[in-house]
Amino acid sequence: MTDKRSARADQARPGPSRRELLAAGAAVGLTGALGGLPWGAARAETAAKGGHLTLGADGGSATDTFIPLQALGADHVTLSILSTFDTLTEMDADGVPQPSLVEGWESNPDGTWIFQLRKGVEFHDGKPLTAEDVVWSLKQHATENTKFAEGKQIVENLEELRADGPDKVFMKQREVNFDLPSHLSSFGLIIGQAENDDWDAGIGTGPYRKEAFEPGQRYLGKKFANFYRDDQGHFDEVEILNVTDPGARVTGLLSGSLDAIGSPDISVAKRLAAAPGFTLVEVPGTQHFTTDMRTDVDPFTDHNLRMAVKYGIKRQEIVDKVLGGYGSIGNDIPISRTQQFFNKDLAQREYDPDKAKSYLKKAGMDQANLVFSTSDGAFDGAVDVGVLMKETMAPIGIDVEVDRRPADGYWTDVWLKAPWCAVYWNGRPTVDWMLSSTYTSGSPWNSTYFKNATFDKLLVDARREADQDKRREMYYEAQRLLYDEGGLVVLAFANILIGQNDKLGHGAVGSSRRVDDSRLPRRWWFKA
């Protein structure tokens, strides 16, 4: 399945998109005017109130908790948490941060920010939300107890974080980053009551009060009568079931016991799409699948060998056979074509045996024997990827040994250790967030061991640049460096899939995370 937007790659750049205009506004000061109804604008019908939603998700565990310091991002618990609690901002379907608990924000070039809280927001026990609640909740991620590395990174960059009166929060960044409003949408940066460590009690400000939560099994929430938004929280009740078996999720949907399901298995997705009374929602996503070559370990220290590998892969074949067509080909940068600052000027790498042979010759080789470590514990179909690469590289003179490793222990024993291995990444809403967390010289997740001082500096300079055109230039150059010099092979981007009964309605679906950014229970409704 080709990406419809890819046709723009060889055209002159159009004028600024809605996403770019709104992001530019965020860099110089944003008010509640952008708080509108980003999803409501796409509604084809009026959102009806009421009904009991039953949603099937996966990823649940008996150890799941609402404690944000232990946030892992698995679907079942994250859907449950974001039904009960709020973040300061959330991402709309265009990847632009929108107000949630805040009504707007102002920023300055020195990295100081003022976030204005909405008026009249209540917790489920009737207490009003204050700036002190926000400050206390965020500061939890700067403690030694947090296991949520992403939240820790965001909060520790705040040199100063304090209440500026009852409804304003002042933040000063150590390192200026104009993506802060996007970062504050992170699923783990939920806001609770100051000094209340009992997160599992579920006293949030979200649209549903927690009635029950059985870790790894079931969440039940009932509509909070004093919820502060009319454009979200339409159901009377929300029940989220952890259904780990993908076949059982589809069966539950088709039988009527589930109204919607997250991530239906691609083997049955087409059957679901064709079933009368049901719809397969498909959205281009940021999750991507890679094969990572360690640039610090032979033989992948050789740039020419890495290029031979990059031109020896049939990416569309992997999209068709491994993803079932539900995705788009990658181009060796971890940024989706749908994201702001995606470098559309980079030529799409295609399977080219002659070019691959040429690079292999430049590496001083007529034949190369490479070991590719893989496992279905890396991602579904990762072993098939190895087999497909073995077939396409054989005519080039590259013999690929598919080293199938156990799923148990793959992320501790293989990832970051093997010279060449299969990896999947959940994307991030912004270019900086993705590149900084995984490819800078000091990143602990840098599994290609790519180290480039120019690349590192470009990211630092870009994140503190308010001018959007200058930021674009810097992010384009950073992506070019990774594309040209890195050990990263981005095979494909997966589309986000949601199965639904046609009785449900919704607006444009978010692509920052699965299941409508883990906010489906907040944003969807039953049709009148």
Side-chain angles (χ1 to χ4, degrees), residues 279-283 496-500 506 509 524:
T279 298
L280 179 70
V281 179
E282 184 177 1
V283 180
I496 294 171
L497 302 179
I498 303 172
Q500 67 158 99
H506 56 84
V509 176
W524 292 35

Side-chain angles (χ1 to χ4, degrees), residues 5 17-24 94-96 338-340:
R5 304 192 187 197
S17 66
R18 172 180 178 272
R19 173 173 54 201
E20 291 170 325
L21 289 172
L22 293 183
D94 287 328
V96 178
T338 64
Q339 291 183 273
Q340 185 186 27

Side-chain angles (χ1 to χ4, degrees), residues 433-449:
W433 202 339
M434 188 71 232
L435 297 182
S436 296
S437 63
T438 50
Y439 298 104
T440 51
S441 299
S443 170
W445 293 348
N446 189 347
S447 54
T448 64
Y449 291 79

Side-chain angles (χ1 to χ4, degrees), residues 88-106:
L88 294 178
T89 63
E90 56 185 291
M91 305 301 287
D92 72 8
D94 287 328
V96 178
Q98 295 287 342
S100 187
L101 280 179
V102 300
E103 63 181 25
W105 54 84
E106 297 178 2

Side-chain angles (χ1 to χ4, degrees), residues 170-299:
F170 175 87
M171 301 183 192
K172 179 175 175 56
Q173 296 175 302
R174 301 179 192 278
E175 181 183 288
V176 180
N177 189 336
F178 282 109
D179 286 333
L180 180 60
S182 297
H183 292 174
L184 293 174
S185 71
S186 179
F187 62 89
L189 296 183
I190 57 174
I191 305 304
Q193 290 180 334
E195 308 304 330
N196 185 353
D197 291 318
D198 188 8
W199 292 93
D200 284 324
I203 302 175
T205 58
Y208 304 104
R209 300 177 59 131
K210 190 201 81 169
E211 295 293 314
F213 180 65
E214 302 164 47
Q217 298 184 50
R218 173 179 178 265
Y219 166 88
L220 177 65
K222 292 192 176 182
K223 178 66 182 286
F224 176 45
N226 293 337
F227 181 55
Y228 61 94
R229 298 180 67 165
D230 185 59
D231 63 319
Q232 292 190 359
H234 305 293
F235 303 107
D236 288 333
E237 293 184 338
V238 167
E239 187 174 13
I240 306 171
L241 301 178
N242 182 48
V243 186
T244 57
D245 181 77
R249 286 201 301 278
V250 171
T251 299
L253 177 65
L254 295 177
S255 69
S257 59
L258 297 174
D259 300 304
I261 59 172
S263 307
D265 191 277
I266 59 173
S267 64
V268 297
K270 287 184 172 62
R271 180 167 67 90
L272 174 59
F278 299 90
T279 298
L280 179 70
V281 179
E282 184 177 1
V283 180
T286 59
Q287 184 185 61
H288 51 283
F289 306 97
T290 71
T291 74
D292 293 3
M293 297 176 281
R294 286 187 57 172
T295 58
D296 66 328
V297 174
D298 288 334

Side-chain angles (χ1 to χ4, degrees), residues 349-385:
R349 286 191 173 126
E350 305 280 0
Y351 180 63
D352 190 330
D354 291 336
K355 189 172 286 188
K357 288 179 182 178
S358 174
Y359 276 112
L360 191 62
K361 186 175 182 180
K362 288 180 182 179
M365 305 178 187
D366 294 321
Q367 179 77 26
N369 299 305
L370 305 179
V371 177
F372 177 65
S373 300
T374 187
S375 168
D376 283 335
F379 57 85
D380 288 341
V383 174
D384 294 333
V385 165

Side-chain angles (χ1 to χ4, degrees), residues 376-417:
D376 283 335
F379 57 85
D380 288 341
V383 174
D384 294 333
V385 165
V387 173
L388 291 172
M389 291 196 304
K390 180 178 179 67
E391 293 173 354
T392 59
M393 290 191 192
I396 296 165
I398 299 177
D399 179 44
V400 177
E401 177 188 340
V402 181
D403 175 27
R404 183 167 186 169
R405 306 292 288 271
D408 185 27
Y410 182 84
W411 296 106
T412 56
D413 300 336
V414 180
W415 182 56
L416 297 174
K417 296 180 175 63

